[in-house]
Amino acid sequence: MSTAAPVAPVTPGPSTAADERLLRPIRRPSAGTAGATLVMAILVGLGVWSVIDLGIDLPTILGSLGSAVAFVGRMFPLDFPPLPDLAGMIAETLAIVFLATLLAVALSVPVSLAAARATTRGRITRGAARTLIVLARAVPDLVLAIVLLRVFGLGPVAGILAMGLHSVGMIGKLYADAIEELDDSPRQAVETVGGTRSQQIWSAIPMALLPQVIATGLHRFDINLRTSVLLGYVGVGGIGLEIADALRSLDYQRGMALALVVLALCIVVELVSGGIRAAILPRPGGRSARTGWIDRLLDRPTARPATEQIHAPWSVDRFRRVLSVAVLVVVTAGSLWKVDLDAATLLGGIAEIPSTVQLFLPPGFGGSAGTVFADLLVTVQIALAATLLGGILALPIGILAARNVVAGRAVHTGFRLLIVIIRGIPELILAIIFVVISGLGGVAGTLALALGAVGLLSKLIADSLEETDPRPQEALRALGASAPQVFLAATLRQAAPAVVAHTMYLLDTNIRSATLLGVVGAGGIGFLLLNAARINQFEVVTAIVLLMVGVVLVVEALSMWLRHAVR
Amino acid sequence: MTSSPGPHPRTTPAALPADPALTLRGVTKDFGKGVKGLDDVDLDLAQGSITVLLGLSGSGKSTLLRHLNGLHTPTHGTVSVFGESLRGLSGPRLRTLRRGIGMIFQDYGLVGPMSVLENVCTGALGELRGPRIGLLMYPKRVRREALQHLDRVGLADRAHQRADTLSGGQQQRVAIARALLQHPRILLADEPVASLDPVSAAQIIDLLRRISEEDGLTIVTALHQVELALDLADRVVGLRSGKVVFDRQTAGMSARDAAEIYESVATPTTQELEALTDMHSAAASSS
């Protein structure tokens, strides 16, 4: 708010306000800021301690270079399975991932409508929906898969349901956020016409939300594709199962060939989904109505006057919409056929759920509480160390990849490309490779996660640097500041809160990933979890899951608070 | 290239009391695809004067201002500051020149999450070496002076607040304090009040005039409100499609001249003829 007070007299000289005390920054007792700084310092300290305690140092890394060379030797010649088999595996994996994502989207729409402030029925509904979302996110899909495999037997169904349910945690949250960010005036307009609550929601929300629904779904498809490889390890079908089998029998030539196929698949899927997302998300300025050959082909001029044309004309857009729906239906039917899912299996399994759940209760440690807690600590250490190492590597890469920091086009394009390549490699594949190179244990998991973290964090850093307000930068250039001065004072300062937030988000996801990577022997509690399930110690599985959910929720709460405090 | 003036362009010693602070000779800026930001502009701006550039958006006001401190480089022609040509200046020499020219912007150009005082301190970056972040990295001398300038614009009590917690008018005053810390001889202002309410706008205009009087600053500012322009300026220069369409001293200007100026900057380019008839009928009815 502007004050109407006149400007103080413009007279240079001594002033009462300009006393010495004001020359130093006054740490206003905004407890948030001070606390946030302290917590961040502690987290960095814990990260350093974790790196040391896990035994990650330069000699270890250099020492494992020798085994890396030996490993590469054993990889070749790569042994690809015959093409029909390979195509079958790929089709099965894609079918599982597609159905899981579809299920997640279908479940997320009602959940997010209940969770969003604008559309919820009441405080209780909203709280319940929010809790459901948090729980779905906190229970790893691997754990769900272990439980559901018990119910539905080995095969794709358990994988589809596990990923489908877990994905609600992310998709539901993003949808709910998107609904809350929607412009409320269309809904109010329906309200003023006298529409009911459900009419307001149905006519104002779906079309506005559709691009976001599809974009988020595609994003999750990418993630689920990577997860499906991991689920292969516990007996869900597809290409992951084949990789697990090959590596268990130390057949690196086949295993690495399949890993390469997964890598290619991930990159192709990411490119395709990126293309679709770019095409559907609203662009600044909007799209102008175009007339293409399809219009001319489909939209024959009719004799009817414009006032009687109650159907939309067959434009490119309408054609595209109908085609998209048709493709969706065909792919769904094809996927259902491929994974051999039928109502009888599904219902039979659901009937068995109560008796299976009883196996998992009550939680207990089966006499190995010490091991469980020790491994839990290792998991947290892996996440902390990986986030620290990943952050240290990601900062320079992210800065060099930002368009508005480095003048040379070749530099930022090159680093952007590097990021895309790093991001393309699933963390699980990295973990498998590092386990082979540096042996079972935390070092492999940390290095794999750190490398994965570089891919994610450097992209986020580059994006937040590019999103900074360019006007302060221009102002500083105009007053004669050099490029490094402008970068530090204007660009980095503006992006700093976002960088902290992204790093905390990374720690958050790394805690989950550290659990999961334990399955392939990359250290931490995941290995224990898988073993407990194998030897039917289900009460131990429950105990581990509860501990994990606890840790995840604590870290998530901490990271949410920090993200809020550093703004 | 037009003939570039020498280091001492005393071509019209009778007309000007001293060397002009800013000289433009045949300045043309071609943005490509036939879009001309500036079209053959010749101007001499006297030291200590306040010049207001008037014109619609897209008429070339901002482009002209950005040529005066080398944020833009002319396609043809020369820009000289106190006789020194900007052509070919780059790196440290360009930064040294910019240090002597303050600039304020329509959207203030403050770093939002940074404190007000640190924002003012960034005004000293041109004379300091090396990148800095955090108030304590600035010498005490700079901090003390920054605080004095903040006091001058009436905001010393806000020094340790985040810049984005201030109102628009206050933020613009912070931006002015930052410019003052440069000890500039010239102050450029690009639509400094376009985002402000009338009261804050009047405060900023008032402040600019006082600074000019007290520090002997040469001020060049782009505005689109004719009333404010006539209130502030010694001289108004009208731009349209990158060309200078009028150039007058405001001293002794009649109401009719003002109306003419208003007409010639306030009508859209596409309706030049209509505007002309309107202007004539307005002039006829007023006389």
Side-chain angles (χ1 to χ4, degrees), chain A residues 274-297:
Chain A
I276 299 178
R277 268 181 289 185
I280 58 166
L281 284 180
R283 274 166 289 185
R287 196 166 27 183
S288 58
R290 283 166 305 172
T291 326
W293 61 273
I294 298 176
D295 295 82
R296 289 195 289 278
L297 193 72

Side-chain angles (χ1 to χ4, degrees), chain A residues 54-254:
Chain A
L54 288 169
I56 300 164
D57 47 35
L58 220 51
T60 317
I61 294 172
L62 292 179
S64 54
L65 276 183
S67 18
V69 173
F71 167 70
V72 171
R74 277 186 293 165
M75 250 172 75
F76 291 103
L78 290 171
D79 174 24
F80 289 97
L83 202 59
D85 292 2
L86 190 63
M89 288 176 217
I90 294 176
E92 188 172 10
T93 296
L94 289 179
I96 292 172
V97 173
F98 177 78
L99 289 175
T101 312
L102 194 67
L103 174 68
V105 169
L107 291 175
S108 295
V109 169
V111 172
S112 59
L113 283 173
R117 196 173 292 117
T119 52
T120 189
R121 285 180 175 279
R123 195 174 291 168
I124 298 170
T125 321
R126 180 155 185 260
R130 288 267 166 194
T131 312
L132 210 63
I133 289 173
V134 170
L135 278 182
R137 202 172 40 214
V139 181
D141 26 23
L142 180 74
V143 173
L144 286 171
I146 289 174
V147 177
L148 291 165
L149 279 168
R150 192 76 204 161
V151 177
F152 294 96
L154 290 183
V157 181
I160 294 169
L161 292 178
M163 284 195 284
L165 291 174
H166 176 67
S167 303
V168 172
M170 174 187 123
I171 301 184
K173 178 174 190 311
L174 290 180
Y175 284 0
D177 291 351
I179 294 172
E180 290 188 349
E181 276 168 24
L182 279 183
D183 179 13
D184 196 40
S185 47
R187 190 199 59 73
Q188 284 173 5
V190 181
E191 194 176 4
T192 59
V193 204
T196 64
R197 186 91 189 139
S198 64
Q199 281 174 331
Q200 292 165 28
I201 292 173
W202 277 101
S203 51
I205 309 270
M207 284 317 286
L209 201 64
L210 192 61
Q212 183 79 61
V213 167
I214 298 172
T216 308
L218 286 168
H219 185 181
R220 190 67 211 187
F221 188 92
D222 286 357
I223 299 174
N224 282 346
L225 177 61
R226 285 144 205 261
T227 312
S228 76
V229 182
L230 181 80
L231 295 191
Y233 264 78
V234 294
V236 172
I239 208 163
L241 183 63
E242 306 288 334
I243 294 182
D245 281 349
L247 291 182
R248 237 171 249 145
S249 53
L250 302 184
D251 184 357
Y252 293 119
Q253 297 172 354
R254 168 62 59 91

Side-chain angles (χ1 to χ4, degrees), chain A residues 1-26 28 469 471-472 474-486 488-490 492-494 497 567, chain B residues 66 69 71 95 98-99 101 103 105 107 109-111 113-114 117 122-123 125-126 128-133 135-136 140 143-144 147-148 151-154 156 160 162 167 170 178 182 197 199-200 203 207 210 214:
Chain A
M1 286 280 88
S2 85
T3 51
V7 178
V10 189
T11 42
S15 94
T16 46
D19 66 44
E20 288 294 306
R21 278 177 297 119
L22 284 175
L23 292 178
R24 259 166 280 115
I26 298 172
R28 279 286 156 74
D469 184 354
R471 290 169 304 198
E474 189 184 30
L476 292 196
R477 254 197 309 280
L479 60 79
S482 65
Q485 286 175 333
V486 174
L488 207 61
L492 194 62
R493 182 65 190 81
Q494 287 188 69
R567 211 173 274 170
Chain B
R66 280 170 166 67
N69 60 359
L71 283 177
R95 293 204 296 274
R98 282 178 179 168
R99 200 204 299 167
I101 305 176
M103 187 165 193
F105 300 82
D107 297 297
L110 300 183
V111 184
M114 211 182 239
L117 186 58
T122 58
L125 282 176
L128 297 171
R129 258 180 215 203
R132 288 158 205 260
I133 190 166
L135 187 59
L136 292 176
K140 211 164 186 184
R143 280 181 266 155
R144 188 172 294 123
L147 208 48
Q148 279 166 6
D151 195 32
R152 221 180 142 184
V153 300
H160 298 286
R162 277 169 65 122
S167 73
Q170 290 170 331
R178 174 177 65 189
Q182 294 172 242
D197 63 274
V199 175
S200 308
Q203 283 184 357
L207 187 59
R210 290 199 215 180
E214 292 175 4

Side-chain angles (χ1 to χ4, degrees), chain A residues 235-390:
Chain A
V236 172
I239 208 163
L241 183 63
E242 306 288 334
I243 294 182
D245 281 349
L247 291 182
R248 237 171 249 145
S249 53
L250 302 184
D251 184 357
Y252 293 119
Q253 297 172 354
R254 168 62 59 91
M256 283 301 119
L258 290 174
L260 219 56
V261 171
V262 170
L263 177 58
L265 203 57
C266 284
I267 292 175
V268 169
V269 166
E270 178 138 348
L271 288 178
V272 170
S273 76
I276 299 178
R277 268 181 289 185
I280 58 166
L281 284 180
R283 274 166 289 185
R287 196 166 27 183
S288 58
R290 283 166 305 172
T291 326
W293 61 273
I294 298 176
D295 295 82
R296 289 195 289 278
L297 193 72
L298 295 173
D299 192 26
R300 308 254 170 72
T302 49
R304 270 181 292 177
T307 49
E308 284 176 31
Q309 278 194 20
I310 56 168
H311 294 289
W314 273 102
S315 61
V316 176
D317 279 348
R318 185 173 179 197
F319 184 72
R320 198 183 281 146
R321 279 199 298 274
V322 172
L323 195 67
S324 314
V325 173
V327 168
L328 199 65
V329 170
V330 169
V331 172
T332 310
S335 302
L336 286 174
W337 172 77
K338 180 73 200 171
V339 301
D340 214 7
L341 186 69
D342 56 65
T345 326
L346 209 56
L347 291 176
I350 290 172
E352 259 187 63
I353 286 181
S355 59
T356 311
V357 167
Q358 273 181 357
L359 285 176
F360 287 83
L361 293 173
F365 287 110
S368 52
T371 329
V372 168
F373 281 104
D375 277 10
L376 186 66
L377 181 67
V378 172
T379 299
V380 175
Q381 279 183 322
I382 292 175
L384 283 166
T387 309
L388 181 71
L389 295 178

Side-chain angles (χ1 to χ4, degrees), chain A residues 456 460 500-510 559 563:
Chain A
L456 180 64
L460 292 174
V500 171
H502 293 321
T503 312
M504 285 312 293
Y505 166 71
L506 193 68
L507 179 65
D508 200 0
T509 57
N510 273 350
S559 101
R563 273 183 262 177

